[in-house]
Amino acid sequence: MRKSGRCLEILVPELSACVHEINDKNWDKQFGFLQVLSRAEHIGSSAVRFEEYLLDACGIKGQSDGYVSHAAILAHADNGLINSVPILCSDPVFLKGDPSRLMLFDADSIGINKSEADALVSLLNDLFRHDGLNIWYKDPRRWFIEGLNLTTYAGISPTNLTGAPLEPDMASRKALGDLGRIMTEAQMVLHDCEVNRRRLHDGKPPVNSIWLWGAGEHPVVSKPKITAVFANDYFSNACAKFCGLATGGVEDLDLSMVPGGARGLVAIPPKYNLRETSQILQLVIDDAVSSLKSGELFKLIIVSNRNTFLLDRRMLLRFWKRRKSLMRNIMARMDD
């Protein structure tokens, strides 16, 4: 890439699934990014995990190159402090059980306001005071717990588990250790509390558990590979804030935030609505292609799970490649 060239990278792990969905439902007239992809140079790549890729791009790593504490990064975004004590996310969730399975729904799905969060957190802090634990929050949907012994249990964000059946095996239960006791005690207190009685009366699902996750090594910042992050999700923006990068929304792609010769990153996390992801992706690619044509952008890189696409202004002049060939290449990589 020439020294003065500005590069934009789009991280969209669900691209292959979106292409599959578009092909199955014949949406290609609405989603013209298939034509853009067909003109790009296609390279097979290794599997991509959204969070790990983002952390690497932002230059964030663990103190000894181990798993990075997501809780520390998110807490820093909320309170502006870098926590030196062990911290975990303890997000409010609704666990819905039936005889055959248990399903989780996060706070975004069930809704929770500040007055409800205040009452529930106060109740839990009264419960755990004898353990030396403290739960706090800035946003009612994101809670944190401090005072735990050092733990390496990373877990999974409830956002990534919403609507999914939970089938914890014995090894996972054992890995929780004392955290399992904390979650169980919280569930007992929350089960019949006043806030949940009121929510049930109003036809809302109860906040009947906390979900502990996000442990890891204290995050440190090395040299970021990017200069700006364009994202709508909180984790991406929290990572950018942690290492002092410029941030912007996905819908407002301001390339002036990316200096010449530098790289910006558009982060589109996995969702459960592929059509919504496709619409966002189309919007971003339309803006990027316009910038390629005007010369404001020198190169576009689209990174998905097992597929990478490289595109510059010259490639936009290529004739349309056969869609079947594009689909075959993408699907072959996705199915590996």
Side-chain angles (χ1 to χ4, degrees):
M1 183 176 72
R2 64 190 183 196
K3 189 175 180 181
S4 60
R6 179 185 286 114
C7 178
L8 183 68
E9 184 171 327
I10 302 173
L11 172 61
V12 51
E14 287 188 326
L15 175 62
S16 298
C18 288
V19 171
H20 194 288
E21 186 85 350
I22 290 168
N23 186 58
D24 282 352
K25 298 189 176 180
N26 198 27
W27 288 346
D28 48 323
K29 288 185 179 180
Q30 300 175 58
F31 299 107
F33 65 73
L34 289 180
Q35 182 174 357
V36 174
L37 293 179
S38 73
R39 292 178 177 178
E41 180 181 351
H42 174 242
I43 303 170
S45 55
S46 57
V48 170
R49 283 196 62 193
F50 180 81
E51 292 86 357
E52 290 180 2
Y53 195 96
L54 189 69
L55 289 168
D56 181 65
C58 290
I60 302 173
K61 61 181 183 179
Q63 282 181 315
S64 61
D65 287 332
Y67 193 83
V68 178
S69 169
H70 291 192
I73 294 171
L74 293 169
H76 170 265
D78 274 0
N79 65 11
L81 302 175
I82 298 178
N83 293 72
S84 58
V85 297
I87 186 170
L88 273 176
C89 298
S90 56
D91 296 334
V93 297
F94 168 46
L95 297 180
K96 181 181 180 181
D98 62 38
S100 61
R101 61 182 178 176
L102 180 67
M103 298 184 71
L104 178 148
F105 297 89
D106 69 356
D108 275 325
S109 301
I110 63 175
I112 178 172
N113 60 42
K114 186 178 184 303
S115 63
E116 290 174 331
D118 282 342
L120 294 174
V121 167
S122 177
L123 187 67
L124 291 171
N125 279 335
D126 286 344
L127 170 68
F128 293 129
R129 189 167 289 114
H130 67 281
D131 289 313
L133 305 179
N134 178 60
I135 296 176
W136 62 270
Y137 77 91
K138 181 178 179 181
D139 186 306
R141 300 167 297 178
R142 289 188 304 276
W143 300 358
F144 301 93
I145 187 168
E146 296 178 339
L148 296 159
N149 293 326
L150 183 63
T151 175
T152 57
Y153 181 74
I156 301 174
S157 165
T159 301
N160 296 333
L161 293 171
T162 291
L166 304 177
E167 299 180 273
D169 55 26
M170 290 306 296
S172 298
R173 291 177 186 273
K174 188 174 181 179
L176 280 170
D178 196 45
L179 300 181
R181 175 189 65 82
I182 292 171
M183 290 177 65
T184 299
E185 290 183 2
Q187 289 167 10
M188 293 173 65
V189 168
L190 294 173
H191 173 68
D192 194 37
C193 69
E194 177 61 31
V195 170
N196 281 329
R197 286 198 295 268
R198 189 162 57 246
R199 286 178 62 90
L200 288 168
H201 180 268
D202 294 339
K204 300 176 183 178
V207 180
N208 60 6
S209 184
I210 55 174
W211 190 257
L212 302 178
W213 69 282
E217 293 187 353
H218 185 73
V220 294
V221 179
S222 57
K223 186 178 180 181
K225 299 176 181 178
I226 56 178
T227 59
V229 174
F230 303 95
N232 294 339
D233 68 289
Y234 199 77
F235 182 74
S236 297
N237 281 290
C239 288
K241 184 176 181 179
F242 191 84
C243 54
L245 299 180
T247 59
V250 170
E251 295 83 359
D252 258 342
L253 201 58
D254 184 3
L255 290 179
S256 66
M257 295 165 57
V258 184
R263 178 159 62 104
L265 176 66
V266 177
I268 305 177
K271 287 179 172 286
Y272 294 98
N273 187 333
L274 292 178
R275 189 178 181 90
E276 181 181 343
T277 299
S278 298
Q279 289 170 337
I280 294 171
L281 181 60
Q282 183 66 62
L283 179 68
V284 173
I285 289 182
D286 283 346
D287 284 350
V289 167
S290 295
S291 298
L292 280 173
K293 290 178 179 178
S294 69
E296 187 180 10
L297 185 64
F298 177 68
K299 183 172 289 187
L300 175 64
I301 304 172
I302 303 171
V303 179
S304 72
N305 191 25
R306 301 184 180 275
N307 294 282
T308 298
F309 298 87
L310 309 177
L311 189 72
D312 59 24
R313 185 178 183 182
R314 173 183 53 83
M315 294 176 186
L316 292 174
L317 302 176
R318 288 177 172 176
F319 288 107
W320 172 267
K321 292 182 179 179
R322 293 180 63 189
R323 191 182 73 172
K324 288 184 178 179
S325 175
L326 170 70
M327 292 293 299
R328 185 170 58 251
N329 287 337
I330 293 178
M331 291 304 125
R333 294 292 303 173
M334 186 175 73
D335 294 335
D336 283 349

